Structures are given as C-alpha cells and as structure tokens.
Amino acid sequence: MTETSTRPVLQRVIFPEHGDPQALPLYLDPEVWTFEPNLEDESMRLAKARGFTPEDSAKHPLRLTNTSGLAWLEGRRSLRLPPTRTVSLASYFNAFPASYWSAWTGLRSVTLRVSTSGTGRVIVFRSNARGIIQRIDGVEVSGEQTNEFDLSLDAYLDGGWLWFDLIAGEDELLLTQADWLAPEGAEPRVQGTATVSITTLNRGDYCTRLLREIGEDDDARAVLDRVLVVDQGSEKIRENPAFPEAERALDGRLRLIEQKNIGGSGGFSRGMHETVEAGESDYIILLDDDVEIEPESLRRAVTFANYCRTPTIVGGHMLDMYDKAKLHAFAEGIKWSPFMWGPFTPGRHDFSDSNLRQTTWLHRRYDVDYNGWWMSLIPVETLREIGLSLPVFIKWDDAEYALRAREHGYPTVSLPGAAVWHVSWVDKDDSHDWQAFFHARNRLVAALLHSPVKRGGRLWRANLAYDIKNLLTMDYYTVAMRHAAIKNVLEGPGQLHSDMVDRLPRIRALGKDFTESSSFVKASEIPHFRAREIPSVTSGRIETGPHGVGLAFWLGVRALKHAFTKPDDAAREKPQGHLPFQDARWFEVPLHDSVLISNAEGSGAKWHLRNPRLFRSMLIDSVRLNLRYRSKWPALRAQYRKALPDITSSREWVKAFGSEK
C-alpha cells in the first residue's frame, strides 16, 4: 500500500447511470453464495450428449441472499454501503482482467486506488486461471481516505483477475471513486485516439440512442476524434426526431455519410477509408447500429490498445440486449478442418445466476481468432497495410479480416470489461432464410484465403452433410441457395464487388419456386393437430438422434424413401402436423411428408413438403459441386489470394461506394 499519486487510469470503476436492475450483476456482486453438488438435470444431460461439460460441472453456485444493491448507487462512480454490509466488485465491468494486461502489454504491475468515506475495510483479492481465490491485501478505513495498492502482474500467465471488496463497519461506508492505474513511469506504446464508425440501415431510434450514450460520457468522448455514421437505409437517420440531440451530445464530432446499401462490409469499409483519409486517428472502432454500449468500453479499448506491445485489434464482448446480465459471446475462434467459426467458451452465461467469483471458466485467459464487429477496435496502420474489408455481404467479413490481420502480425484480443448489448441470436435462425447463401459463399471464400488444411480439410464433407440434412428436412430452398453460393465462388473473386449490388434480390427471387420459402403461416392461422409426446418434457429423456453404425443405416433408409417414394396425396393438400422450432430436429422432420415448422422467433411457421424429384436432383448436385471445388482447391486458392490485395483496396472500394450525398 502506498500514498496517493497521479498515474494514467487504465480502467475506471463505474456503475450504471440509471441503475438498470437487470444489468446490475455486471457491475457489483452484493450476494452471499455457497456451492452444492450439481444434479444431473436436463441441461447437463443435454450438454454431455453434445460433448460439452463445463469445468465446474461438479458443483454449481447457490445464492443465499437476495440483494440487488440498486439502492446503494450514488451516481456513475460511487456507492453507499449500509452498516455491516459487504459488496464485492468481482464483476464483469469492475474486476481487473489481470491476465490480459499481463499477456498483451508491457505492464508488470497495476495500482488500485480506492477513495472512501466512513468506516469499514477495503480487501483486495486475486484469482488464478483455475478460479482459486486468494486475499492479497487489505486496509481498515475511517473518515475520508484514499488508499493505493501496488499489485504485481507476474503470476497471470494462464488467467486470473484482480478485484476488491468493501465491508462497512457500524456506520455506512461510501465508495467515492476507484480506479485501476498504470504503475509509476510506465508509458504506453502510443497516445492514440480513435474514430468510431457505425453503419446503419433503417434503425434510427437505436442508432440515435447509441450516439447519445457515447456523447454524454465525457471520459469516453475524450478518446474520440470523430464519430462517423454511414447511413445505407431508405429511412434517413438525419430525419429521426432524436438526431439533433444526438448531434449536440457529440459536440461537433459527428459526421454523417449517406450511400447505397452495400452491406455491413460496405458500410464499415467506408468508415475505414474515411478514417485513413482523415489521418487524425490511430484507431477505428467499428460498432453495430443496433447496440447499447457501456461507454467506458470505448475508453478501455483505446487505453488497452495504447499499452499493447504491438498494434493489436481489440474486440468487445457481446451481452444480450433483452436479458442484460447474459454474456452471449466471450471468446470465438475457427475450427480449422471444417473451417467453421464459433464460441470457444460456454454460451449465454448468466451473471445473475453465477457471477465472476462463482464461475470457474471465466478466470482462464482465452485467445481468439477474431472478434465480431458489433464492437472492434482496429489500428489504422493495419488498415493501411492490409486494406479494408473483404467485399462480402453480411457474413464472415469480421472473421476474415482478423485472420488476414494475424497473417500480417496483428493479433486480436477480446477484452473482458469492454462490451455492448446486442440483440442476441436466440430468436434468429439465419441459416434457413436468404442469409444461407452468404453464410455458405463467404465461408468458402474465407477458407480459400486462410485455411491451413490441404484442400480445405473436411469443409467439403461438412457442406455435403449440411446439404443432406436440409434435403431430408425438405428445406430445398436453403440447398438451392447453398448451391448458388458454390457456383458463385467458382466464378472467381472478380465479381465480389459487383455481386453486392444485386445478389440479395436474386436470392430472394429464387425462393418463389419453393413451398417452404413462400408458404408462411401466421401463428393465429396454424391449425390444431393431435397431441404428441415430447420425450424431454414427459420422461426427461433427451433424444440426440441416430449415431455410429445406426446413423448410416438410418440415412440410407430415409434417403431411399425421400428419393423414390411418392408422398401421401393428402400431404400435398395440407400439412400433417406442426413442429415447434426446438423440436424440428434433423432426425424428426424426415418422418413427415408434409409439416409446418415454426420459425425461431415464434411468429409463424413455414410449410415443408417432400418432393422426391427435387431430392434426387439436388443430392446429385450437392455431391458434384462439393467435389468440384475440392478438386479445384489449389487453383482457386491461388486465384483468390492473388486478388485479395486488390479487391480489399481503397481504390476498388471507392468505386463501390458511389457518390456521397
């Protein structure tokens, strides 16, 4: 413990300005917890069936109290703790992610500064990568007092956090302010500032609220040179009633650009290009337009990037906008042989059920391959060296960019404590709508550019398996889009820019020939069918479908039926049943000739009708097309890699932007 001093602030201890009770577990932990053995409940059995069991599955946290701490908040930086109460700052936004600072920056220590008023104790804790907690310092306080704790960062190679608890004495204890500071004499690599770039499409209410959130936080605004809004919609944000207030909040930093809709990559590339051309910022921070942000996240991302030993992409995590204590995406990467993105950590973790101290896996440090562009800081020198986004619509642009950057020596870090709230994927299934084309096409392009596995590894088999699954579930439109995606890739990289302009209407037009695309039934119009047993509910059994040797036999029988037997005549007239979204599994749907399947959000259903002729022809095409790009892989890979610097250059992107209004 040392006397007070003036040092650069790495991370502020902050609280929600308006005290949203749903988000409060992200900021403080006022609860008393214990642990009890984990029962073999339905969710655990399902996790095991899927091959995943959390490290701490042998026990789960049990809350012994029910205290929100909402009434304790005293504005943005302070809280007032009642007599004899305890609160822990071991929370997502207020604990210090020591392992990330130790791994990626040159700092060997950090200083915690805590200013208090009243009587009580300040106790400092640390954890290691296994989630083991140790007390490392503490002090009794009385009256108005500021204490500093110098804390080493030498023992955090694999993981670990730092935080402090407050314990009030017989009188209340006021936390006036707390900060995590750089050690004396530790200078950042650069004193960089950033431009925020937001791409928006007909989301004026969301976007203007986001702009106000950024502009109304003085500390966040201080690290920003400019906020660019690239408006690609037909409903102009400048016409939104809240736009003038958002503009005032940003105090002259806002610049609005209007251009045609060329997808998220087109909007973000415009922001990248304008930031490079302006020459006033060291970083660009990409943000989605439909997010809410903790403004401190912007300041933390810039500060962390300044202290990184080398120029680094710094990503923020994704929290659920409509269930705010849930962490949707923490660390993501690529499974290389099938070349598929996805989370490397458990999904949708609920901090209200298990906060940082209670969640073992959160204490490990995770390296990532990419970070979603819901929030991502990119050094401007990276833009200058490797170019702008790949010209692909809506999918894989962020992952591809991070993979390309890493090949040029620019790593990506997903930084704990920097995050946005985004509409999560729980009510979406974009693998079956028009986006299926872009999922398949962009994944294949990214694999040609970056897969380290010979001929793409198991990608062709994964694609073929996915086609067969969709054929068996009578989702012929999705298969047609995936076939169109492969054909598009085989045309070569030269058409990617022009393809952004008219591909979407062409894909949607393709759907008119498929029943499951055009026959949408509203929830109120779905007929009633006979009751059916749901095993996981009535008996506790989790059905995972055939596997092993039985899977091959099952596939053979089902494929023969779907290819060569005529559907029941009555099935052509009306559906035989209705399957809720969660029950429309790959091994359940093929048992029907005609069935309604609910969409993910539950607003209606689509009619899937078996068609033997389509099944036969599309299955042959699936085998042929997947083998074709696999056989041509070396030549296609060379072609795409050679074209990459040109198609991602500002020169080519400027042609796509069109004229600014």
Side-chain angles (χ1 to χ4, degrees):
M1 187 174 65
T2 64
E3 296 301 318
T4 63
S5 60
T6 302
R7 304 182 187 182
V9 176
L10 305 178
Q11 179 174 307
R12 301 182 301 160
V13 172
I14 38 91
F15 304 107
E17 189 75 38
H18 305 293
D20 186 341
Q22 195 182 44
L24 208 56
L26 300 169
Y27 294 86
L28 53 87
D29 186 358
E31 308 283 10
V32 176
W33 300 78
T34 188
F35 291 92
E36 67 177 21
N38 219 342
L39 301 177
E40 280 287 301
D41 61 6
E42 181 178 329
S43 63
M44 184 56 63
R45 286 195 296 273
L46 181 59
K48 288 183 177 179
R50 292 173 174 170
F52 170 74
T53 306
E55 292 180 14
D56 52 356
S57 61
K59 60 182 182 178
H60 71 267
L62 178 66
R63 182 185 288 105
L64 299 181
T65 61
N66 187 24
T67 304
S68 74
L70 185 62
W72 303 349
L73 301 185
E74 296 268 322
R76 183 67 167 153
R77 304 299 310 278
S78 304
L79 67 80
R80 190 176 298 274
L81 193 60
T84 72
R85 299 301 297 266
T86 299
V87 66
S88 177
L89 279 300
S91 62
Y92 176 82
F93 279 125
N94 283 325
F96 187 76
S99 63
Y100 290 79
W101 283 87
S102 174
W104 296 102
T105 77
L107 299 185
R108 298 273 53 88
S109 66
V110 65
T111 297
L112 169 63
R113 182 174 64 200
V114 184
S115 298
T116 56
S117 178
T119 60
R121 290 178 179 268
V122 179
I123 303 177
V124 184
F125 294 90
R126 62 151 292 180
S127 67
N128 64 16
R130 300 183 300 281
I132 297 171
I133 297 171
Q134 299 171 322
R135 172 178 170 162
I136 54 175
D137 209 340
V139 64
E140 292 188 26
V141 295
S142 61
E144 293 187 4
Q145 195 169 329
T146 295
N147 290 277
E148 292 188 355
F149 305 87
D150 292 332
L151 308 168
S152 172
L153 295 179
D154 286 340
Y156 296 92
L157 180 62
D158 298 325
W161 296 68
L162 287 162
W163 68 86
F164 67 97
D165 289 3
L166 296 173
I167 304 175
E170 295 300 320
D171 299 316
E172 65 181 13
L173 178 62
L174 174 69
L175 173 66
T176 307
Q177 183 172 307
D179 298 285
W180 299 91
L181 311 173
E184 200 75 55
E187 295 296 327
R189 178 180 53 84
V190 293
Q191 296 280 2
T193 53
T195 289
V196 168
S197 181
I198 303 167
T199 300
T200 188
L201 179 72
N202 299 337
R203 289 194 176 113
D205 292 341
Y206 276 111
C207 193
T208 52
R209 183 170 64 242
L210 173 61
L211 294 174
R212 291 198 309 273
E213 288 172 345
I214 296 171
E216 290 171 358
D217 189 288
D218 294 341
D219 291 277
R221 200 173 63 238
V223 300
L224 303 180
D225 303 301
R226 189 79 51 206
V227 176
L228 298 177
V229 175
V230 182
D231 189 349
Q232 301 188 138
S234 57
E235 301 169 11
K236 299 304 180 186
I237 190 175
R238 55 182 161 79
E239 297 172 358
N240 188 281
F243 182 74
E245 182 182 350
E247 191 173 29
R248 284 192 297 271
L250 285 164
D251 193 26
R253 289 174 172 82
L254 180 62
R255 181 186 171 197
L256 180 61
I257 299 171
E258 296 177 355
Q259 68 180 25
K260 62 188 176 184
N261 181 16
I262 48 177
S265 64
F268 286 133
S269 287
R270 182 63 180 270
M272 293 174 177
H273 170 72
E274 298 292 340
T275 301
V276 172
E277 289 294 299
E280 59 185 352
S281 298
D282 299 271
Y283 311 107
I284 185 172
I285 300 177
L286 305 179
L287 291 179
D288 274 345
D289 61 343
D290 57 343
V291 301
E292 296 177 16
I293 193 168
E294 167 50 70
E296 170 72 5
S297 300
L298 298 173
R299 206 193 64 79
R300 291 180 184 180
V302 171
T303 303
F304 184 82
N306 285 342
Y307 277 91
C308 282
R309 288 189 293 270
T310 62
T312 300
I313 297 174
V314 181
H317 293 142
M318 176 180 156
L319 302 159
D320 191 333
M321 184 180 290
Y322 298 127
D323 198 353
K324 290 195 170 178
K326 280 197 170 68
L327 177 64
H328 189 81
F330 189 80
E332 298 189 302
I334 307 294
K335 295 180 179 178
W336 294 106
S337 187
F339 203 83
M340 190 61 191
W341 59 16
F344 284 177
T345 53
R348 293 190 59 73
H349 174 73
D350 192 342
F351 280 102
S352 64
D353 283 345
S354 181
N355 217 322
L356 180 62
R357 292 180 297 170
Q358 294 80 41
T359 311
T360 305
W361 67 264
L362 277 169
H363 294 259
R364 177 177 173 176
R365 180 177 62 81
Y366 292 91
D367 294 330
V368 300
D369 291 320
Y370 67 93
N371 195 96
W373 280 355
W374 48 75
M375 177 186 171
S376 187
L377 174 150
I378 303 173
V380 169
E381 63 185 277
T382 308
L383 305 179
R384 291 194 180 103
E385 181 174 348
I386 75 170
L388 313 184
S389 172
L390 192 69
V392 294
F393 192 84
I394 209 168
K395 301 295 179 185
W396 280 90
D397 47 356
D398 45 13
E400 188 282 327
Y401 196 89
L403 296 179
R404 188 179 357 141
R406 185 167 63 189
E407 290 178 0
H408 288 78
Y410 300 99
T412 296
V413 177
S414 292
L415 179 65
V420 297
W421 286 274
H422 193 290
V423 178
S424 74
W425 325 134
V426 293
D427 286 338
K428 298 180 180 180
D429 185 19
D430 55 16
S431 62
H432 294 280
D433 64 10
W434 56 267
Q435 296 180 68
F437 171 88
F438 299 102
H439 271 292
R441 195 274 304 271
N442 301 350
R443 176 187 178 191
L444 184 50
V445 170
L448 286 166
L449 291 170
H450 302 295
S451 174
V453 187
K454 184 179 180 180
R455 295 186 183 272
R458 291 186 288 110
L459 174 58
W460 75 277
R461 290 167 52 189
N463 279 337
L464 180 59
Y466 198 78
D467 285 351
I468 292 171
K469 183 184 79 170
N470 281 290
L471 288 172
L472 288 172
T473 57
M474 300 166 283
D475 191 0
Y476 307 112
Y477 174 45
T478 294
V479 179
M481 288 188 289
R482 291 172 55 80
H483 289 176
I486 296 174
K487 293 173 184 176
N488 187 239
V489 172
L490 292 170
E491 292 174 11
Q495 44 71 43
L496 286 176
H497 272 289
S498 60
D499 198 71
M500 289 190 300
V501 178
D502 64 351
R503 175 59 66 174
L504 181 55
R506 281 190 282 157
I507 285 297
R508 285 177 164 158
L510 185 64
K512 71 180 187 301
D513 298 326
F514 298 94
T515 303
E516 70 278 5
S517 169
S518 56
S519 298
F520 182 79
V521 182
K522 295 180 180 179
S524 59
E525 299 171 351
I526 292 177
H528 293 286
F529 298 95
R530 291 192 303 271
R532 63 187 184 86
E533 180 187 10
I534 305 175
S536 62
V537 174
T538 57
S539 65
R541 291 183 289 109
I542 299 294
E543 292 190 4
T544 58
H547 56 276
V549 176
L551 174 60
F553 178 77
W554 184 92
L555 285 172
V557 170
R558 288 295 154 197
L560 288 172
K561 176 186 174 182
H562 277 248
F564 298 110
T565 65
K566 181 182 177 182
D568 186 270
D569 288 339
R572 298 176 182 272
E573 301 299 324
K574 63 179 182 180
Q576 299 170 321
H578 170 222
L579 290 176
F581 177 76
Q582 67 268 33
D583 294 343
R585 294 164 291 190
W586 62 271
F587 55 89
E588 173 75 14
V589 178
L591 303 179
H592 304 265
D593 281 342
S594 175
V595 64
L596 289 173
I597 298 178
S598 298
N599 60 14
E601 65 181 7
S603 61
K606 291 189 176 182
W607 186 9
H608 291 236
L609 177 62
R610 187 162 68 84
N611 186 321
R613 181 187 60 80
L614 269 180
F615 182 92
R616 293 193 303 270
S617 64
M618 285 189 152
L619 180 59
I620 292 170
D621 284 346
S622 290
V623 174
R624 178 178 58 82
L625 287 169
N626 281 288
L627 288 176
R628 185 179 175 192
Y629 70 73
R630 184 176 186 273
S631 67
K632 291 178 173 291
W633 192 273
L636 281 171
R637 174 180 170 83
Q639 186 180 10
Y640 274 84
R641 288 185 68 88
K642 181 179 179 181
L644 183 62
D646 185 55
I647 62 178
T648 59
S649 67
S650 283
R651 182 186 64 258
E652 288 301 309
W653 267 111
V654 166
K655 297 176 186 177
F657 297 150
S659 59
E660 177 187 339
K661 297 180 182 178

